[in-house]
Amino acid sequence: ALFVTAQHSRFSIEGSYGLQRNFFVTSYDESPNSFSQTSFYKKAPIGTMGGIELKYRVGKRSALTLGYARSVNSRTVSYRNTINGVAVGIADFKITHKNRFFQFGYEYALQKKNPSLFAEAGLFYVRPFQQEVSIASGGISFEERNFNNSRLEEGGFFIGLTYMKKIDTKFRLGIKSRLYYLVSTNSLEALTLTPVLSYSF
C-alpha cells in the first residue's frame, strides 16, 4: 500500500473491515459441572474484524506497520426452566467475545515493479473481553471477564498476505488475510479476510 509514483510518499494509512474466524470462542466446555448446570460460553466462530494501520516505507520493497484492530464474535442465548420452584428465563440475550489487537509488523513486496502482492509478519498483543452466562441451583451469573477484573491478556505473532491495486495516485484498494497465533497459549486465535483501503501521504 506504500509504493506509489511519488517517491517521497513514505507514509500510508490503511483501514480494513471484514470477516474473521475465531478458533477460541468454540473451545469452551459447556458440560454441567460442580459450579453450573447450564453454561453459555461459546460464540459463533465467524465474526467481524476492523482496524487501522500506519505504515512507514523503509526500503524500495519493505515497510514497517503499526496498528490496532478489534474483532467481535457473538451468540444469542435463550433459556427457560424452573429452578428450586422459581421460573428462570433468558430471551434472545446476546453474549459477545471481543478482542483488541495491538500489532507491529514488517511488510515486503513480492514483486519489484508495480507491486500488488505483499507478504507480512509481526507481533501482536491482545486483550479479550469475554461475556459468559452460568445457571446453577444457587442462581444465575452474568459475567464479562476482561483485563481489568481478570487480567486477561495474550501475545503472539501473525503472518499475512495482501493484494492491493492502485485506484489513483494516492489510494489503493485490496484484500488482506492474516493468521494469528498465540504463543502464550500455544494455539491459533483467528484467521481474517478483510477488504482494505490505503491512502499514501
Side-chain angles (χ1 to χ4, degrees), residues 60-116:
K60 291 183 178 180
R61 300 171 66 181
S62 58
L64 299 176
T65 67
L66 185 66
Y68 168 82
R70 181 175 179 266
S71 68
V72 179
N73 295 77
S74 62
R75 173 189 181 185
T76 300
V77 172
S78 293
Y79 176 86
R80 191 171 298 277
N81 201 357
T82 300
I83 302 176
N84 298 329
V86 178
V88 176
I90 301 173
D92 297 330
F93 181 76
K94 181 179 286 188
I95 58 174
T96 62
H97 178 106
K98 302 174 186 177
N99 277 337
R100 291 181 178 175
F101 293 88
F102 303 88
Q103 44 205 8
F104 174 76
Y106 174 80
E107 182 184 80
Y108 185 77
L110 298 179
Q111 303 129 309
K112 288 184 177 181
K113 294 184 178 181
N114 300 318
S116 59

Side-chain angles (χ1 to χ4, degrees), residues 99-144:
N99 277 337
R100 291 181 178 175
F101 293 88
F102 303 88
Q103 44 205 8
F104 174 76
Y106 174 80
E107 182 184 80
Y108 185 77
L110 298 179
Q111 303 129 309
K112 288 184 177 181
K113 294 184 178 181
N114 300 318
S116 59
L117 194 61
F118 305 86
E120 59 177 348
L123 303 174
F124 73 93
Y125 168 75
V126 61
R127 287 190 174 182
F129 294 73
Q130 301 170 192
Q131 291 181 331
E132 301 158 355
V133 178
S134 300
I135 301 171
S137 58
I140 305 176
S141 170
F142 293 84
E143 256 189 307
E144 178 178 274

Side-chain angles (χ1 to χ4, degrees), residues 1-13 54-64 107 118 166 168-172 198-201:
L2 301 169
F3 305 87
V4 295
T5 303
Q7 294 298 313
H8 62 273
S9 298
R10 285 191 172 272
F11 286 95
S12 68
I13 190 166
L54 179 66
K55 296 189 179 184
Y56 176 70
R57 182 166 55 86
V58 294
K60 291 183 178 180
R61 300 171 66 181
S62 58
L64 299 176
E107 182 184 80
F118 305 86
K166 186 164 62 176
D168 71 10
T169 57
K170 294 291 185 180
F171 286 94
R172 283 182 175 242
S198 174
Y199 172 76
S200 299
F201 59 95

